[in-house]
Amino acid sequence: MKETLEMLVKSLVDNTENVEITEKENGDDVTLEIRVDPSDMGKIIGKQGRIAKAIRVLMKAYATKVGKKVSVEILD
């Protein structure tokens, strides 16, 4: 899951070398934390959080397919 999210986020930002994805797993629950360059924060969040919501929906669909529950957090 981490690799899928990393590929998705890197396709959205300008500074791909500053993308960090942290995966924390607790049984079937997975928490993915995204850290990007401050100048790319708006590209990940989007207007009124639309891109962030879309990322979460995509990752939840992927997690359901593999039998997990996922939470995506965007950190500053």
Side-chain angles (χ1 to χ4, degrees):
M1 259 191 288
K2 177 181 175 182
E3 295 81 20
T4 304
L5 180 61
E6 187 172 359
M7 181 187 68
L8 180 63
V9 171
K10 283 186 175 183
S11 69
L12 294 171
V13 300
D14 291 330
N15 302 314
T16 58
E17 64 278 352
N18 294 337
V19 173
E20 293 179 28
I21 309 292
T22 307
E23 183 175 32
K24 297 178 182 176
E25 200 164 333
N26 185 12
D28 286 341
D29 296 332
V30 178
T31 301
L32 297 167
E33 297 175 345
I34 304 171
R35 288 184 194 270
V36 296
D37 192 79
S39 64
D40 289 326
M41 191 62 73
K43 293 177 182 171
I44 294 298
I45 296 172
K47 290 184 180 178
Q48 298 178 354
R50 289 184 181 149
I51 294 175
K53 287 178 190 174
I55 290 171
R56 289 183 177 113
V57 168
L58 286 171
M59 293 311 298
K60 284 183 182 184
Y62 180 72
T64 302
K65 189 173 183 178
V66 296
K68 302 251 182 192
K69 293 181 183 178
V70 70
S71 169
V72 178
E73 297 176 7
I74 301 171
L75 307 174
D76 335 338

